[in-house]
Amino acid sequence: MNTDKNNAGGRAGAREALLAGVRGLALAAAMLPVAVLISTLAVCSLATIPLGIGIVTTPPLLGAVRAFADKRRELAEEWAGILIPAVYRPVPEDANPWTRLMVVLGDPQTWRDMRWLYLDMSAGYVTALLPAVLVLWPLEGFALAAGLWRVLAGGEHGTYWYGFVPVTGQLSAFAAAALAAAVLVAGLRYAPRLLRAHFTLTRALLIPTQAELAERVRVLTETRRDAVDTSAAELRRIERDLHDGAQARLVAMGMDLGTIEMLLDKDPGQAKALLAQARRNSAEALNELRDLVHGIHPPVLAERGLGDAVRALALRLPVETEVSVELPGRADAPVESAAYFAVSEVLTNAVKHSGADRIWVDLHHADGRLRITVTDNGTGGAAVRPGSGLAGVERRLGTFDGVLAVSSPAGGPTMVTMEIPCVLS
């Protein structure tokens, strides 16, 4: 029984070591040429910023560096179980080239990626290649002992060196095989650890500083607090609307019904009139309750999703509104709700303040982000000011790590862009 367990454990260890060797070889073979290429292009692009060329070329090239680093983060988690957080500053897709450049260059994570890239071509390359050497190089030693030495050594070929072993004949080929066996034993033991060391080094270079993580926690704490305050205010609004609207009508209807009971025998005509009034009160109370529920969570949003809910919202506007939707699935309900009410607030602002006669809404999902743009042909001048509707939208999106960007020059047009990280089901 113990022998079977030992054999199974040995086979599992061998598979793990071989897998680490193959993965290390794949990393070493792929990362060096890619790292050299994108680092050279990025440095050349940075050097041409004063000439104006780098203003356009630097953001996409640094984006390639980021994609390369993101792929290593993904492999670190998948192959070694090492999580490497990434904290990048969001770059609005509709920003002009200069703004994009300033955001990218002002992001500390950009420079961490660049530092990691250069070390990845040296120490990172070695730590990735070592597992492959320890696991795969012994195959050559065993092949020499099996007869390959006759092709590689002796005669006109002279001495063939396998490590520090000169192979000239069968006896020396056996010595090479002995060295290969020793290396293989070391590989079976240390190859997985060396591969993990490679990703540990990657994590040490790419992980944000404590100050940045603390700032991230502060921002998230603030947005969560805003979300709680918003929820409390919404609850108070619902209670006020119930008290002043539907509840008052229901109380009045109850009083009318009591009066009707007393008038049924004495004055049937007056009782009939009060019955009609009670019926009207009940219908109005029902409508108010429906409006209240609609304000909490529109039924069309729950039943048909964000795209159709925004289309229904657009149909109620007094301004011609065109809605374009490319959503292959649905986001989580809280994200959909936040996006819906954010769009509703932006559309309300456009109708009230922009003077526009046409509005365009575009919703699509790409690269793990829900992106919504609302554009109007109004007079412009919109901005995120404290206490404004757009500030409230920004706080609402911030609860989900979303961002808001506003482009609204004097004279228009106005484009409001909202992005929320999410996955679709």
Side-chain angles (χ1 to χ4, degrees):
M1 189 70 153
N2 289 334
T3 302
D4 292 341
K5 288 183 179 180
N6 291 336
N7 291 338
R11 287 193 296 270
R15 283 194 300 269
E16 185 180 2
L18 179 60
L19 189 59
V22 172
R23 287 172 171 173
L25 181 61
L27 278 175
M31 73 182 185
L32 187 60
V34 175
V36 170
L37 175 63
I38 61 176
S39 64
T40 302
L41 291 176
V43 170
C44 291
S45 181
L46 288 168
T48 60
I49 290 177
L51 302 177
I53 301 173
I55 296 176
V56 177
T57 59
T58 298
L61 286 172
L62 291 180
V65 174
R66 171 179 175 175
F68 190 57
D70 282 341
K71 185 61 179 178
R72 193 61 56 85
R73 293 185 181 97
E74 179 185 331
L75 293 178
E77 184 174 3
E78 182 180 343
W79 290 356
I82 295 177
L83 182 63
I84 306 176
V87 182
Y88 291 98
R89 294 178 182 175
V91 182
E93 291 189 13
D94 58 339
N96 60 56
W98 180 254
T99 301
R100 292 177 65 85
L101 177 66
M102 289 298 98
V103 172
V104 171
L105 293 183
D107 191 346
Q109 188 64 54
T110 296
W111 303 108
R112 275 194 297 272
D113 289 350
M114 289 297 294
R115 288 194 298 268
W116 162 77
L117 191 61
Y118 282 101
L119 194 61
D120 194 49
M121 292 186 288
S122 52
Y125 180 80
V126 172
T127 54
L129 189 60
L130 273 176
V133 171
L134 291 178
V135 173
L136 302 178
W137 187 51
L139 299 178
E140 181 186 358
F142 298 141
L144 288 171
L148 184 63
W149 69 269
R150 292 186 175 87
V151 178
L152 300 179
E156 60 183 20
H157 297 288
T159 302
Y160 180 83
W161 288 86
Y162 179 76
F164 57 82
V165 177
V167 179
T168 57
Q170 187 64 56
L171 186 60
S172 55
F174 284 141
L179 174 60
V183 172
L184 182 60
V185 170
L188 294 175
R189 183 177 181 85
Y190 295 110
R193 300 182 189 180
L194 287 171
L195 185 65
R196 184 174 179 82
H198 168 82
F199 290 117
T200 302
L201 176 64
T202 300
R203 185 179 189 277
L205 294 170
L206 289 179
I207 193 170
T209 62
Q210 290 298 321
E212 290 175 287
L213 291 176
E215 174 65 14
R216 183 65 170 164
V217 170
R218 185 194 67 78
V219 171
L220 290 175
T221 301
E222 183 176 324
T223 57
R224 298 304 186 270
R225 184 171 60 249
D226 288 341
V228 172
D229 293 342
T230 301
S231 298
E234 186 71 9
L235 180 60
R236 288 193 297 271
R237 181 190 68 81
I238 294 170
E239 291 174 345
R240 184 176 62 252
D241 290 347
L242 281 173
H243 181 272
D244 298 341
Q247 178 178 321
R249 293 190 183 279
L250 291 173
V251 170
M253 187 172 64
M255 294 174 64
D256 288 342
L257 291 175
T259 304
I260 290 169
E261 284 181 337
M262 293 185 294
L263 293 175
L264 278 175
D265 296 329
K266 298 179 181 180
D267 190 349
Q270 181 66 21
K272 185 177 180 181
L274 288 176
L275 275 174
Q277 178 64 37
R279 185 174 64 253
R280 287 194 295 271
N281 283 341
S282 67
E284 290 174 0
L286 181 59
N287 288 332
E288 289 181 357
L289 287 172
R290 284 174 176 168
D291 291 339
L292 185 62
V293 171
H294 187 276
I296 299 172
H297 194 79
V300 67
L301 180 62
E303 295 169 5
R304 303 182 61 180
L306 180 61
D308 285 340
V310 172
R311 288 191 181 100
L313 192 64
L315 290 174
R316 297 196 297 270
L317 297 178
V319 177
E320 182 180 354
T321 303
E322 180 180 334
V323 180
S324 174
V325 179
E326 294 182 12
L327 299 177
R330 296 191 58 174
D332 292 339
V335 173
E336 284 193 334
S337 181
Y340 173 84
F341 287 108
V343 173
S344 177
E345 180 67 30
V346 173
L347 289 174
T348 300
N349 285 348
V351 171
K352 286 183 177 179
H353 308 299
S354 71
D357 58 16
R358 190 161 186 184
I359 301 174
W360 297 266
V361 183
D362 177 76
L363 299 89
H364 69 270
H365 186 273
D367 301 325
R369 303 180 75 85
L370 172 64
R371 186 169 187 264
I372 306 170
T373 59
V374 179
T375 308
D376 67 66
N377 62 352
T379 57
V384 182
R385 301 182 182 90
S388 67
L390 289 177
V393 172
E394 189 173 46
R395 288 194 302 272
R396 185 187 292 272
L397 298 179
T399 306
F400 300 91
D401 293 341
V403 293
L404 173 74
V406 179
S407 174
S408 184
T414 295
M415 175 181 285
V416 179
T417 302
M418 297 164 277
E419 290 187 355
I420 306 177
C422 66
V423 295
L424 301 185
S425 59

